[in-house]
Amino acid sequence: MNAYVLPNSVRCRATRILGSLWFLLLAVFVARGLATQVSAISFTGDISTSALSSFCQLIFYATLGILILIRPHAKAQATSVLPKVAAFVGTYLPWSIIFTARTDYPGLALVSSACVLIGMFMTLLTLRHLGRSFSLVPQARRVVQTGPYRWIRHPLYLAEELAFLGVVLQHLSPMGLVVLAGHIAAQVCRIHYEEELLRRTLPDYMNYAAARWRLVPYMW
C-alpha cells in the first residue's frame, strides 16, 4: 500500500500557520510580561527601558507572525534539507531563550535595552521595505533595493542579530552565549544559501550584490 503524501500546497499552508503561531505565541508571552511592567509603571510613575524594549519585542513578533501568513508565493525556494535546517535553527530556537530566567545586571541593563530598541527599529524599518517578500526558508520573489537594502544585502539579519544580542544580555548565562554563537553561525549559513538561490533565480541580483556588502560595511 502506498503511503499518502500531503499535497505541496497543504504542507506549505501548514508550515506557514505553524510558523506564524510560534511568533504570535512569543508575542503573547512578551505581552504578559509587559502587562506586569506597565502595572509597575502605573504604581511608580517611572517608564523603564526594559518596558520599552519589551514593547518593541511585542511589535516585532506580532509583525513577523502576520507577514508569514500574508506573504505571496515564492518564485522559487530551497528544496534541500540543510537550508531548511539552518532557517529553522536561526529563526525559531534562539528566541526560546526568553522563556529562561531573566537576569538583572545594572551595568548591562542600559546596553541590553539599547541593543533591543535599535535592533527592533532597524527590523521594522527593514520589514517596511521588504514587505510581503519576507521569508524564513530561502525563497526568491524580487530584488529589494530600497531603504537599508541600498547599502547592505541583508539588513534584516543584522537587525535581528543586534536585537538578539540585547535579549541575551537580559538572560545572560553561559548557555545564552553558546546560543548566541550558534545563532550567528546559523545566520551566516542562511545568508549563503539565500544568495545562492537568488543568483540562480533572479537575473538582476548579480549586479545588485556586486555593489553592496553582505552584512557589515567594509568588513563582510
Side-chain angles (χ1 to χ4, degrees), residues 164 168 173-184:
F164 186 61
V168 169
S173 67
M175 180 56 67
L177 296 178
V178 171
V179 172
L180 176 62
H183 187 244
I184 293 173

Side-chain angles (χ1 to χ4, degrees), residues 14 85 102 169 199 203 220:
V85 170
R102 193 182 182 96
L169 293 177
R199 287 192 179 96
W220 188 61

Side-chain angles (χ1 to χ4, degrees), residues 6 18 26 29 86 91 112 115 132 143 150 171 174 181:
L6 288 174
L18 291 175
L26 293 181
F29 185 81
T91 301
S112 170
C115 287
R132 296 175 68 191
V143 179
R150 288 179 292 178
H171 302 264

Side-chain angles (χ1 to χ4, degrees), residues 2 42-43 58 85-86 111 117 125 131 151 176 187 192:
N2 294 330
S42 300
F43 180 76
L58 172 61
V85 170
V111 176
L117 289 171
L125 176 64
W151 300 291
Q187 298 293 62
H192 285 295

